[in-house]
Structures are given as structure tokens and as C-alpha cells.
Amino acid sequence: MSETPRFIRVHPDDNVAIVVNDGGLPAGTRFDAGLTLREHVPQGHKVNLVALAEGAPILRYGQVIGLAARDIPAGSWIEESLVRLPPAPALAELKVPGKGPAHLPPLEGYTFEGYRNADGSVGTRNLLAISTSVQCVAGVADYAARRIREEMLPHYSNVDGIVPLTHTYGCGVAINAPGAAVPIRSLHNLARNANFGGEPMVLGLGCEKLSPEWILEEGRPKPAPGNTPDIVRLQDESQVGFESMVAAIMEHAEKRLKNLNARTRTTCPASELVVGMQCGGSDAFSGVTSNPAIGFASDLIVRCGGTVMFSEVTEVRDAIHMLVPRAATPEVGQALIREMAWYDEYLNEGSSDRAANTTPGNKRGGLANIVEKALGSVAKSGSAPIDDVLSPGERPHRKGLIFAATPASDFICGTQQLASGITLQVFSTGRGTPYGLAAIPVIKMSSRTNLAKRWHDLIDIDAGRIATGQASIEEVGWELFRLILDVASGRKQVWADHWGLHNDLAVFNPGPVT
Ligand code: CA
């Protein structure tokens, strides 16, 4: 069956468009608009609508994504080597607005069933977390969690699960280096995630650099030796043999399970949602289907008074000139620039820059470079003013749309957004990834329908229908918003949780390892 050849031009100024049809389109294909393809163009890849002279700007999203590497006749496949990377927007030239744009009109009446905590936060799950202060104890934490799950959890039916918060930080690191502040506050804030019910406990070893007290309290409190009501140290002399260590952990767990089990879901306004937006394995459709639909849902949550975080510094860097004007206050605008500058310097120290971001899969999916990727990525932030900016692992100062600075790496971004307090994540993907997190539900949205069909038992919602004209951005955005409320309420289960697909935590450590 031959389909009508289709392309998507995002902005009226664009001189390139992307091919929609599965499998791409062959040379000689004639579009209704009159353009004829000179060669085969794969799905999601760009075709130029007009002839481009060498050095001419290549426009997508109404923005310059690159410069033509040579003269290119109309109807050509604009593959990666034909697109010269332009420099990133100069931070010093960005103008911070004196007064931010107006907030979107409020939206009332939307609720979800959540777990309210003593500190006012609301969780989407009721989980016992076992924090760890060092990787040395990870095996013991996993073993104890398995035992607790098998032997104790059946007696506490209101508790959704046990999550060992294991990671690679804690020792063998320069604990006093400036960069150490990031992983230390991240681990502290991870333990406080609303899905853990304010019942933190820490498993430590005893000789590590990061003392378990630092996870429980800010400001590096002086460690007290031995076990405490909230801390089990494996090297404590009271423990003789492995079984006694496990018994100590189970005893600490049992007290918390009793408290957690007393919690029930209550009806909460959607203003209590804290949702993280992420993308990974992106393709050229991500920026026109899934990410704009996520942006639409983001606006709805923000209009309800809720909190949305978007992140991934290298994927906003090339669109920062579009984000700074959306800062709600001059302070937020300055903070956006500060986080970009910090990351530029971080990459520079590693003799790298933001161009190191794009993957072979991104490129096969039609994304020529980081500029094109970033312009599609920031669509996840919708159109609301940006209310707050967080350095990696910080907790929000207010509700609304928040830029939480993190690396774009899927597992690090996920971990850092968790530390910043998200209780649900939406993840958009074009190439496909089975990504999931144990601490929160992750809704996965595909940018293309053929991925949603192939991965029918991994993808939760398909935004590819936007490319084929079967649904609008608004329709898919509303559908996602309702799915967020259902998943947050425990009424619907995401595929990653159905199969138990949960990635390891990957705490961002910009500091040196010893
Ligand atoms: Ca990512």
C-alpha cells in the first residue's frame, strides 16, 4: 500500500522539513507542495525545500540549526555532513528581562489520589527507602531489601515496595572538593523524596568518607560511632556475622514499615504534583510530536498550580536565548545563565563542549547536531514562564515551572530530578529505551507510531499520531495530563513497573575521584 508522501515543516521560515513516512521516501517522490526528492531521504531526516548556497543558514523551528557545508540543490537529503555546527548563543549577550511574561490562566478542579506527608509534600507511591552512604554496602542493601520484601512486606499491605538507594558515591572521592557538594546534597535530598513518607534510614559501612549523618541532616554533622535509631553501620561491633547485620537492618525497617502502613491515599489537588520531564533516544520527531505534547501537559500542570521540572543542560544550551526571555524574574534569568556558564566550564575542563551530546541513534533518527536536538528538547518546557532554577540536586524554592540543572544523561538526569523531589517522570523517546525508576513511576511516550507498535508493551503513550495528523498536540497533551493523574493515583500502572524495569541510580559527581 503506498502512503501519501508527507513532510513536516515546523515554522513558516524553515527551509528544511522532515520526511514523515515509515521507511523514508525514494528519489523522484513528488510532494503535493511541488517538491521532488533528488535522492532517498530516510524517515525523520531533512529535505531542503529550496536550493541552499554554501554557508547559507539552515532553518528549522524558525532557528538556525547550522550552515550549509556546500551548495545544495532543493530536494536533497540534508544529512549530517552537510550541516556545519554554528556557535552556541553567547551568554554575555543575553538580555535578562526586567519583568517576566504573564503567567498562564489558572486551571481548577483537577485532583489525584496521593500520600500526604507531615512536611506537606505529597507522594505518588508509599515506599520504604534504604539510603546508603557508600557503594561498599550495596550488595548487603539489595540482599536485605529482598528479605524484607519476601518476609515482611506481605504483613504491610499498604506499602508499595522497598527501594535500596544504592549508588557509586561515598568513598574514594575528594569529599572536600567544591564538586562534592552536588552528590552530597543529592543523596540527602533523595532520602527526603515524598514517595518515601518521611521515614529515612541509612545503611553505612563505618569507615567511608561520607558519613551516614550527612544523608539525614544538612551541613555535615559530626558522625557518632555505632548504630542509631536511623543508621545501621555494618562495622559496628554489636554485629557479629552477616546474619546479624541483616537482622539489624530488618529491625530498623520494621519500625518504618509500621508507620508507612498506616498511610492511605487521599484526594489532593493537582497543585501537589511534582513532575519531571525528560527525553532520551530522541529523533527528529521528538521535537514536533512527543516533546510539544509534553510541553502542553506541562502547561496544564503549571496552570493547576503544580510543579514541573525540565533539565538536561546540554539540550537547553543552544536554545537558551529562547528560555531567558521566559524567566519570571531577573533573578531566574541570571540563574539560567549561571547554570549554563557552570556547565560550559565543566565541559571545557574535560576538553569537550555541548556537541559531545548527540548519539549515533539521534543521528540515525535525523538529528544532525546538538542545536537541532536542543530546539526539539526545550519543547518539553511548554510555554509557561520559568519560575525557579535549581543547581543539580537542590530542592525547589517554589511551585511552577522549574529548570533543574542536570546532565542530559538519562540515568543521571533521572536521579538528579528525583533528588530535586519529582514524584513522577514523563520520558519521551524516538529510538526507544526501556528506562524506568524504582522510586517513581515513569510514563514513556514515543515520538513515532511505529516505535509504539513495535514496543507495544513498553511504551505507555504514543505521540506519533501527531505526525500523521491523526491527533493534535492539544489532544495528546490532554491525554498525557489525564494519564499523569491516573498513574500518580495508582489507578494505572506504567509498563516499566509492570515488568519491574528499574535503572540504577547514577548520582552526578562533578568532583574528582581519588
Ligand atoms: Ca536525557
Side-chain angles (χ1 to χ4, degrees):
M1 189 186 87
S2 69
E3 260 182 83
T4 311
R6 288 170 62 96
F7 62 64
I8 297 178
R9 181 189 207 174
V10 186
H11 189 277
D13 292 346
D14 292 357
N15 52 21
V16 297
I18 61 166
V19 165
V20 173
N21 304 67
D22 283 349
L25 291 170
T29 300
R30 201 174 157 76
F31 295 94
D32 289 345
L35 182 76
T36 302
L37 291 185
R38 295 172 54 84
E39 56 199 323
H40 172 82
V41 179
Q43 185 189 32
H45 283 248
K46 289 175 287 300
V47 52
N48 53 329
L49 306 171
V50 294
L52 297 168
E54 186 184 346
I58 299 172
L59 296 161
R60 194 172 171 224
Y61 301 102
Q63 302 280 325
V64 179
I65 62 163
L67 305 172
R70 58 167 169 78
D71 291 347
I72 312 170
S76 300
W77 174 20
I78 304 295
E79 48 91 23
E80 187 192 337
S81 69
L82 295 180
V83 185
R84 258 191 239 140
L85 184 68
L91 297 178
E93 287 167 22
L94 294 173
K95 294 250 184 314
V96 174
K99 187 171 164 287
H103 278 85
L104 303 175
L107 191 61
E108 276 162 24
Y110 291 92
T111 60
F112 70 106
E113 304 298 308
Y115 293 98
R116 202 172 269 286
N117 296 311
D119 67 357
S121 65
V122 174
T124 62
R125 294 289 181 271
N126 188 23
L127 299 164
L128 171 66
I130 303 175
S131 290
T132 59
S133 53
V134 66
Q135 170 68 17
C136 310
V137 305
V140 178
D142 287 339
Y143 178 91
R146 197 161 60 237
R147 288 274 302 270
I148 296 165
R149 222 170 271 136
E150 285 165 8
E151 295 168 30
M152 300 168 87
L153 205 54
H155 306 294
Y156 300 101
S157 57
N158 287 341
V159 180
D160 294 323
I162 315 293
V163 183
L165 300 175
T166 58
H167 55 87
T168 58
Y169 199 70
C171 213
V173 291
I175 203 84
N176 295 316
V182 172
I184 294 172
R185 74 167 165 250
S186 299
L187 290 169
H188 169 66
N189 287 335
L190 264 173
R192 300 163 71 203
N193 187 284
N195 280 8
F196 306 145
E199 296 284 340
M201 63 176 277
V202 189
L203 177 60
L205 182 60
C207 58
E208 65 273 35
K209 287 184 170 171
L210 191 155
S211 41
E213 282 82 357
W214 300 1
I215 289 179
L216 294 170
E217 279 177 68
E218 254 176 305
R220 302 192 175 201
K222 203 168 156 0
N227 292 347
T228 72
D230 301 322
I231 298 170
V232 176
R233 284 180 168 84
L234 297 186
Q235 290 170 352
D236 187 76
E237 290 188 4
S238 67
Q239 277 131 213
V240 179
F242 176 62
E243 279 295 339
S244 93
M245 295 173 190
V246 176
I249 299 165
M250 291 177 80
E251 196 183 308
H252 277 67
E254 182 143 44
K255 273 185 271 173
R256 287 164 175 78
L257 286 172
K258 281 185 183 142
N259 295 340
L260 292 170
N261 201 48
R263 299 186 345 134
T264 50
R265 289 188 185 269
T266 54
T267 303
C268 301
S271 57
E272 302 291 5
L273 286 171
V274 187
V275 177
M277 303 303 189
Q278 210 204 153
C279 54
S282 295
D283 66 6
F285 286 107
S286 299
V288 288
T289 60
S290 50
N291 292 348
I294 286 175
F296 189 88
S298 167
D299 282 350
L300 295 177
I301 296 168
V302 170
R303 288 175 58 193
C304 288
T307 303
V308 172
M309 291 183 202
F310 71 107
S311 299
E312 302 172 291
V313 176
T314 50
E315 290 171 18
V316 306
R317 181 64 182 85
D318 280 277
I320 193 64
H321 58 294
M322 297 156 73
L323 294 178
V324 169
R326 285 172 55 194
T329 66
E331 292 73 30
V332 167
Q334 295 294 358
L336 278 170
I337 295 170
R338 178 196 73 212
E339 291 302 329
M340 298 302 112
W342 186 93
Y343 217 91
D344 280 358
E345 184 54 31
Y346 167 73
L347 290 171
N348 192 36
E349 278 172 15
S351 303
S352 199
D353 65 23
R354 90 280 192 215
N357 175 306
T358 34
T359 66
N362 293 151
K363 291 176 178 178
R364 274 197 297 276
L367 292 172
N369 61 25
I370 185 60
V371 184
E372 187 177 12
K373 186 174 175 179
L375 292 167
S377 178
V378 294
K380 300 196 297 296
S381 68
S383 64
I386 301 167
D387 293 303
D388 198 5
V389 174
L390 308 180
S391 290
E394 283 183 345
R395 303 243 292 184
H397 312 97
R398 56 188 61 81
K399 295 186 179 203
L401 179 65
I402 295 176
F403 178 69
T406 75
S409 152
D410 295 350
F411 8 95
I412 301 182
C413 171
T415 304
Q416 294 305 128
Q417 285 191 345
L418 263 184
S420 290
I422 62 165
T423 55
L424 185 148
Q425 197 180 47
V426 180
F427 191 103
S428 109
T429 183
R431 308 297 297 172
T433 166
Y435 169 88
L437 291 167
I440 56 165
V442 177
I443 295 173
K444 283 202 297 296
M445 176 181 252
S446 67
S447 72
R448 292 176 300 131
T449 297
N450 52 9
L451 174 67
K453 282 186 177 156
R454 218 159 22 89
W455 285 27
H456 59 91
D457 47 8
L458 287 166
I459 297 294
D460 299 293
I461 177 167
D462 171 34
R465 293 168 292 155
I466 296 167
T468 49
Q470 290 163 288
S472 65
I473 288 170
E474 291 76 8
E475 283 164 347
V476 178
W478 272 106
E479 205 180 306
L480 173 61
F481 174 68
R482 293 199 175 92
L483 181 60
I484 289 169
L485 295 175
D486 283 341
V487 169
S489 302
R491 288 190 291 264
K492 275 190 185 160
Q493 192 182 40
V494 296
W495 280 114
D497 289 345
H498 173 86
W499 301 117
L501 307 179
H502 297 141
N503 288 85
D504 290 342
L505 294 178
V507 174
F508 183 35
N509 174 24
V513 171
T514 61

